[in-house]
């Protein structure tokens, strides 16, 4: 258990059987009374958020979380199968849990699996992946590489991304998987 | 980019504004015939309160408020006194808290806590007009009109109305009153104008006297502006025996919570034994006042950074 005084931004705690991460934290002490710890919490499984205030006497659960290295293997219906880098055990995670990350899965890429009570609840992808642009309008003549103007483009799986005007079909680009945004051009098509 | 020097450079405007608030506040008190006093920052016995931690400084404590020393001046015969200076509360850091902060504290002998409401209203409005040319504040996305009628809400009514709870009942369990206050009452207080919560259960009036009509309530009010607790006011307790009993009770609570023991403030109690006139006193977080007037989000924005 954590005591309320341990709480801080980024700490992972357990409430009513769910793991939460503290996304915002403030100390307050109303009217000379006891200290209070006001937290904004994000459910690490569902992504839903809530506010919760703790008193100094409150004890807060410590979630059983474990990180393991895993390779992405293949898609199986609505599930995505990852294999444990040490044991090769195949473990599924649902498309719903992965959200937009399903667009950035690359076979045999090394990822980080997050387990809560032994169950896979989240995957952290490699920060950058490379993808080929399959669809975009040609940039207008006279645009330069330094321009900040962006245009829409698509990658092979249909994911839409904003890219600089100088990017063409066939170019390979780097995508930041944390934000889903274009990072840089790797090579020209 | 974020060198300490750059952080300070970016604060020059805020610190300059802060200095203007300071002058304006002093001017108001001086024109109202208050005497500015300076009492020791390092004290042998701090104002022992249940949940306030004073840092140690050698054989002394750094004061959490100048209350006891200023009251000794009242007992000695001064009538209208104020002080602006550093106070310390260990472990308090947040958007509205700093372990070292500036307190504006004042006392008026022969006055009631309601007299101080009139005084506070005049002071806050005048300072705002001097600084900003208007009584309108813009704070955290809200507009507050200091010139509008200030809303006065008894604590019991606020808890009933906004949380459906009995303030007296919540006061019986440690921390529950505060929890409901911050989560369910404070967010619902009017924010388009200043709001005063008045008459707290007696347990929450450490240095306040009981109301004559209802001794289960303390003569205490708190000023909220834009939802931020800005100042605390007591009709001061003048009875040394009751004060001794409260110190004793606080010490028990502190012991139960494994908090540091404070020595008894002998000099203060002796002064009270010799007689203290009916008085009222207020303490205002000066950093918070500057924050509200400047429209800053946190008191950190209007203070010299605390090095870490």
């Amino acid at each position: 258990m954590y005591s309320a005084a341990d709480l801080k931004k980024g700490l992972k705690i357990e409430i009513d059987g769910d793991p939460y991460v503290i996304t915002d934290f403030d100390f307050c002490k109303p009217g000379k009374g006891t200290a209070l710890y006001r937290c904004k919490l994000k459910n690490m499984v569902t992504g839903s958020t809530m506010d919760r205030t703790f008193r100094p006497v409150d004890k807060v659960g410590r979630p059983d979380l474990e990180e393991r290295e895993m390779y992405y293997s293949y898609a199986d219906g609505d599930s995505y199968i990852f294999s444990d880098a040490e044991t090769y055990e195949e473990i599924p995670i649902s498309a719903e849990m992965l959200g937009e990350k399903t667009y950035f899965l690359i076979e045999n890429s090394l990822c980080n699996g997050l387990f809560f009570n032994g169950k896979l609840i989240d995957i952290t992808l490699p920060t950058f992946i490379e993808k080929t642009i399959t669809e975009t309008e040609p940039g207008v003549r006279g645009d330069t590489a330094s321009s900040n103007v962006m245009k829409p483009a698509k990658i092979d799986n249909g994911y839409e991304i904003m890219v600089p005007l100088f990017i063409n079909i066939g170019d390979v680009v780097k995508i930041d998987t944390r934000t889903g945004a274009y990072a840089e051009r790797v090579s020209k098509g | 980019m974020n060198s300490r020097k750059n952080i300070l450079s970016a604060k020059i405007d805020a610190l300059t504004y802060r200095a203007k608030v300071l002058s304006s506040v002093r001017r108001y008190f001086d024109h109202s015939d208050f005497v500015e006093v300076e009492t020791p920052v390092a004290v042998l016995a701090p104002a022992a309160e249940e949940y306030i931690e004073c840092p140690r400084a050698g054989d002394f404590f750094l004061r959490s408020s100048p209350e006891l020393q200023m009251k000794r001046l009242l007992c000695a015969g001064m009538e209208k006194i104020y002080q602006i200076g550093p106070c310390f509360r260990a472990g308090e850091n947040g958007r509205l808290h700093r372990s070292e902060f500036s307190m504006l504290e004042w006392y008026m002998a022969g006055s009631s806590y309601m007299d101080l409401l009139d005084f506070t209203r005049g002071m806050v409005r005048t300072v705002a007009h001097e600084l900003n040319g208007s009584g309108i504040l813009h704070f955290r996305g809200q507009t507050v009109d200091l010139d509008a009628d200030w809303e006065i809400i008894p604590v019991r009514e606020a808890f009933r109305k906004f949380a459906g709870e009995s303030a007296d009942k919540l006061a019986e369990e440690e921390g529950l009153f505060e929890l409901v206050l911050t989560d369910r009452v404070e967010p619902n207080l009017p924010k388009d104008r200043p709001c005063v919560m008045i008459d707290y259960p007696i347990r929450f009036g450490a240095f306040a006297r009981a109301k004559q009509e209802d001794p289960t309530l303390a003569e205490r009010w708190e000023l909220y502006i834009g939802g931020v607790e800005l100042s605390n006011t007591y009709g001061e307790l003048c009875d040394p025996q009751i004060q001794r009993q409260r110190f004793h009770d606080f010490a028990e609570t502190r012991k139960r919570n494994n908090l540091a023991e404070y020595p008894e403030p002998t000099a203060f109690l002796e002064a009270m034994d010799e007689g203290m006139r009916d008085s009222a006193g207020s303490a205002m977080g000066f950093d918070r006042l500057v924050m509200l007037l400047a429209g800053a989000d946190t008191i950190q924005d209007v203070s010299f950074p605390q090095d870490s």
Side-chain angles (χ1 to χ4, degrees):
Chain A
M1 299 292 267
Y2 290 112
S3 85
D6 297 327
L7 300 177
K8 57 176 192 242
K9 194 168 164 177
L11 187 76
K12 293 164 179 126
I13 59 176
E14 183 174 334
I15 299 172
D16 301 332
D18 272 338
Y20 287 83
V21 60
I22 300 175
T23 56
D24 193 38
F25 174 84
D26 196 21
F27 168 91
C28 76
K29 205 166 188 185
K32 298 184 172 212
T34 56
L36 293 173
Y37 307 91
R38 310 179 75 172
C39 299
K40 283 193 193 306
L41 303 169
K42 185 173 168 200
N43 186 309
M44 295 170 69
V45 178
T46 66
S48 66
T49 57
M50 66 173 185
D51 294 337
R52 184 62 79 88
T53 304
F54 297 93
R55 294 178 293 161
V57 293
D58 289 335
K59 294 275 177 256
V60 187
R62 192 190 286 256
D64 169 17
L65 291 167
E66 185 197 355
E67 281 192 20
R68 280 193 250 160
E69 290 196 320
M70 313 196 70
Y71 289 102
Y72 170 60
S73 294
Y74 57 94
D76 178 16
D78 260 356
S79 291
Y80 292 82
I81 311 298
F82 288 79
S83 60
D84 189 304
E86 273 179 31
T87 65
Y88 303 110
E89 182 193 0
E90 290 195 339
I91 302 166
I93 183 168
S94 70
E96 195 192 338
M97 296 265 238
L98 287 179
E100 203 173 60
K101 289 176 188 168
T102 56
Y103 290 113
F104 309 134
L105 295 172
I106 295 189
E107 240 170 76
N108 294 320
S109 61
L110 186 60
C111 307
N112 249 316
L114 181 65
F115 291 79
F116 171 61
N117 290 338
K119 189 174 174 301
L120 183 59
I121 59 162
D122 197 16
I123 294 285
T124 304
L125 301 175
T127 310
F128 295 105
I129 55 153
E130 293 177 5
K131 283 284 187 183
T132 305
I133 297 296
T134 57
E135 226 183 290
T136 190
E137 298 292 325
V140 182
R141 187 187 292 267
D143 297 330
T144 64
S146 64
S147 167
N148 285 326
V149 183
M150 307 287 266
K151 62 175 182 178
K154 280 185 180 170
I155 57 176
D156 52 5
N157 54 29
Y159 177 76
E160 197 168 296
I161 185 170
M162 298 303 288
V163 297
L165 296 177
F166 59 81
I167 297 289
N168 295 306
I169 293 174
D171 289 356
V172 177
V173 300
K174 208 176 250 190
I175 297 173
D176 187 329
T177 62
R178 296 165 301 185
T179 58
Y182 167 90
E184 63 177 15
R185 179 166 65 185
V186 179
S187 62
K188 288 177 87 158
Chain B
M1 272 301 280
N2 266 348
S3 73
R4 289 202 164 115
K5 183 185 162 199
N6 282 345
I7 290 171
L8 272 188
S9 303
K11 283 207 162 174
I12 289 176
D13 285 349
L15 296 177
T16 306
Y17 184 86
R18 182 183 173 108
K20 288 182 180 153
V21 179
L22 190 58
S23 311
S24 178
V25 166
R26 282 211 164 97
R27 203 154 41 237
Y28 193 85
F29 275 91
D30 295 342
H31 285 172
S32 308
D33 298 322
F34 275 78
V35 176
E36 181 169 5
V37 298
E38 292 171 285
T39 61
V41 171
V43 295
L44 271 179
E49 295 202 48
E50 289 172 285
Y51 304 111
I52 293 178
E53 299 316 302
C54 301
R56 278 190 170 278
D59 293 338
F60 294 88
F61 290 93
L62 297 181
R63 66 181 181 188
S64 60
S65 92
E67 179 146 6
L68 305 189
Q69 289 71 31
M70 289 183 78
K71 282 185 175 168
R72 282 167 63 191
L73 289 173
L74 285 182
C75 293
M78 291 188 89
E79 297 202 320
K80 292 168 87 176
I81 50 177
Y82 78 103
Q83 177 160 205
I84 307 176
C87 290
F88 300 83
R89 296 182 181 183
E92 302 194 6
N93 282 297
R95 291 182 186 114
L96 297 175
H97 293 81
R98 280 163 68 92
S99 48
E100 177 178 350
F101 65 103
S102 288
M103 184 86 97
L104 165 60
E105 187 147 332
W106 66 97
Y107 292 86
M108 268 171 96
S111 295
S112 73
Y113 73 140
M114 296 312 286
D115 294 335
L116 280 195
L117 181 53
D118 292 334
F119 178 85
T120 304
R121 206 188 273 120
M123 193 265 288
V124 169
R125 282 177 177 165
T126 303
V127 171
H129 279 271
E130 271 192 37
L131 266 288
N132 299 342
S134 102
I136 303 287
L137 301 183
H138 300 283
F139 173 70
R140 294 186 183 168
Q142 341 161 129
T143 302
V144 187
D145 185 359
L146 299 177
D147 296 327
D149 281 342
W150 290 20
E151 184 99 15
I152 317 265
I153 308 179
V155 169
R156 279 180 180 155
E157 186 188 318
F159 273 70
R160 218 172 19 239
K161 186 167 159 190
F162 298 129
E165 301 268 8
S166 151
D168 302 274
K169 200 138 190 215
L170 294 171
E172 287 166 17
E173 196 191 324
E174 210 157 326
L176 266 194
F177 178 89
E178 293 91 329
L179 189 67
V180 173
L181 177 66
T182 49
D183 277 6
R184 286 150 69 192
V185 178
E186 287 180 356
N188 289 305
L189 294 176
K191 296 196 181 64
D192 60 337
R193 63 191 58 215
C195 175
V196 170
M197 288 242 284
I198 194 163
D199 295 341
Y200 284 68
I202 190 76
R203 185 184 175 303
F204 298 109
F207 297 93
R209 64 179 176 195
K211 265 180 90 96
Q212 234 167 13
E213 319 84 272
D214 182 353
T216 64
L217 292 176
E219 286 192 358
R220 173 185 177 191
W221 55 265
E222 287 252 9
L223 169 61
Y224 286 83
I225 294 184
V228 170
E229 183 190 329
L230 179 62
S231 73
N232 179 57
T233 299
Y234 289 145
E236 301 297 345
L237 177 66
C238 297
D239 182 328
Q241 292 323 318
I242 299 178
Q243 188 66 72
R244 276 197 178 82
Q245 181 60 44
R246 288 201 192 154
F247 281 145
H248 176 78
D249 294 345
F250 295 160
E252 291 295 311
T253 307
R254 295 187 59 82
K255 217 179 209 170
R256 201 169 58 239
N257 288 316
N258 293 318
L259 300 172
E261 277 182 51
Y262 295 137
E264 193 179 68
T266 316
F268 166 67
L269 288 167
E270 275 174 16
M272 275 188 102
D273 284 337
E274 286 173 35
M276 178 170 155
R277 281 182 66 184
D278 281 353
S279 310
S282 284
M284 181 178 282
F286 180 71
D287 313 82
R288 291 186 186 183
L289 176 66
V290 178
M291 170 191 77
L292 288 164
L293 291 169
D297 278 345
T298 75
I299 62 169
Q300 318 298 338
D301 297 336
V302 294
S303 310
F304 192 99
Q306 277 178 324
D307 295 327
S308 54

